[in-house]
């Protein structure tokens, strides 16, 4: 039996104190895992707590695009090789639930209006997301990695996108290897300026660094940010290792919390 565990972050970048809010999500994941729930359930439900909390740039608190719209990205990947993501979905307060609903489908991802049409067909709640104005100083993205007692891992990420971006812009969160990567008994998730994360395929490369060196999570995340990200670009990472240990590292403020049963 594997040790159940969870690690989560509340976005890279200065902003209001979000530590207690992140801990609330990790606590939810812990309750689910302790009750015998799956890694997918724990990661999704913790992510929903973050999407429903307007302090975070995800779901309800997603930042406005340059045209005043709110469009949301979310992704879910599992260690048994399943993947779901939505890109630029509107009127959907909990895009992570739509991503989760894609896990067992023939398709992996949906973008824009097509995502919402599919969500309607599946009965996902549709409601205007008011969002909040963009700010230089605000956290971006939420992420949760959970591991259940079978050793299965799930990684959920969700965002309104980096501030001051046009409608239609795609960041790292829905892109495998960029905003997240789960494989075997390891997982990595990123937060921060999505363009830099995507150009460097940051999550996959940090995963590969952990796997190939067998070194510490902290060392691999530090390597990823120091070597692959330009100075002055805000980026953060969380990761989970083979023993269920969860860690976070950032070159800016990034609230993160972890739990291990
Ligand atoms: N990291 C979130 C985004 O750039 O969209």
């Amino acid at each position: 039996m594997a040790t159940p565990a969870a690690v989560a972050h509340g976005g890279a970048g200065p902003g209001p104190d979000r530590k207690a809010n992140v801990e609330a999500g990790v606590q939810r994941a812990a309750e689910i895992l302790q009750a015998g729930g799956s890694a997918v359930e724990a990661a999704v439900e913790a992510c929903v707590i973050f999407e429903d909390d307007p302090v975070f740039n995800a779901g309800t608190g997603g930042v406005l695009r340059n045209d005043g719209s709110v469009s949301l990205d979310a992704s879910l990947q599992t260690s048994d090789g399943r993947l779901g993501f939505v890109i630029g979905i509107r009127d959907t307060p909990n895009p992570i639930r739509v991503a989760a609903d894609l896990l067992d489908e023939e398709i992996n991802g949906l973008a824009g209006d097509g995502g919402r049409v599919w969500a309607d067909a599946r009965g996902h709640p549709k409601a205007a997301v008011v969002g909040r104005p963009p700010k230089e100083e605000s956290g971006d993205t939420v992420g949760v990695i959970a591991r259940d007692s079978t050793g299965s891992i799930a990684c959920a990420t969700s965002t309104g996108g980096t501030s001051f971006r046009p409608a239609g812009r795609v960041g790292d969160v829905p892109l495998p290897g960029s905003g997240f990567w789960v494989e075997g008994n390891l997982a990595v998730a990123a937060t921060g300026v999505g363009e830099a994360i995507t150009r460097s395929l940051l999550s996959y490369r940090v995963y590969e660094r952990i796997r190939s060196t067998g070194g510490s999570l902290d060392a691999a995340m530090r390597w990823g940010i120091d070597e692959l990200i330009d100075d002055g670009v805000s980026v953060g990472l969380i990761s989970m290792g083979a023993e269920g240990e969860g860690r976070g590292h950032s070159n800016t403020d990034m609230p993160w919390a972890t739990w291990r049963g």
Side-chain angles (χ1 to χ4, degrees):
M1 186 170 126
T3 305
V7 60
H9 72 77
D17 184 359
R18 291 158 277 154
K19 175 79 173 166
N21 308 64
V22 174
E23 285 170 346
V26 169
Q27 179 60 33
R28 181 76 188 113
E31 287 165 6
I32 290 168
L33 295 167
Q34 281 175 315
S38 70
V40 166
E41 191 187 349
V44 169
E45 295 308 319
C47 192
V48 164
I49 284 189
F50 298 152
E51 289 180 338
D52 289 346
D53 183 343
V55 77
F56 296 117
N57 175 12
T60 301
V63 295
L64 304 181
R65 302 292 169 112
N66 292 348
D67 66 352
S69 66
V70 179
S71 59
L72 303 170
D73 303 333
S75 64
L76 184 65
Q77 188 182 24
T78 67
S79 56
D80 61 8
R82 293 180 295 157
L83 174 65
F85 59 86
V86 288
I87 300 176
I89 194 166
R90 299 195 183 196
D91 299 329
T92 308
N94 293 118
I96 193 63
R97 290 206 190 282
V98 185
D101 214 358
L102 283 160
L103 278 189
D104 297 313
E105 295 300 318
E106 189 179 14
I107 54 170
N108 294 325
L110 288 162
D113 292 345
R116 190 54 246 179
V117 168
W118 194 87
D120 285 340
R122 292 299 185 105
H124 290 281
K126 181 174 186 176
V129 178
V130 177
R132 61 191 158 98
K135 275 194 189 145
E136 289 298 354
E137 297 198 347
S138 69
D140 102 307
T141 308
V142 297
V144 186
I145 301 169
R147 176 172 105 152
D148 63 31
S149 58
T150 71
S152 292
I153 301 175
C155 176
T157 60
S158 184
T159 190
T162 296
S163 290
F164 306 112
R165 297 295 191 272
R169 170 264 186 188
V170 180
D172 59 295
V173 161
L175 303 181
S178 297
F180 60 92
W181 192 252
V182 182
E183 193 172 327
N185 54 12
L186 303 174
V188 178
T191 171
V193 178
E195 286 73 13
I197 295 168
T198 299
R199 283 196 300 272
S200 60
L201 200 64
L202 186 63
S203 293
Y204 180 78
R205 289 174 75 186
V206 169
Y207 152 80
E208 184 57 26
R209 180 91 175 180
I210 299 167
R211 192 197 64 76
S212 62
T213 64
S216 78
L217 304 181
D218 287 334
M221 292 190 291
R222 206 165 35 244
W223 168 84
I225 292 176
D226 290 353
E227 298 298 324
L228 304 178
I229 300 296
D230 290 341
D231 290 345
V233 178
S234 294
V235 166
L237 291 161
I238 55 171
S239 56
M240 182 171 286
E243 306 303 323
E245 69 276 28
R247 300 292 299 161
H249 176 70
S250 174
N251 62 9
T252 180
D253 294 349
M254 183 191 73
W256 66 276
T258 191
W259 168 84
R260 189 149 57 151

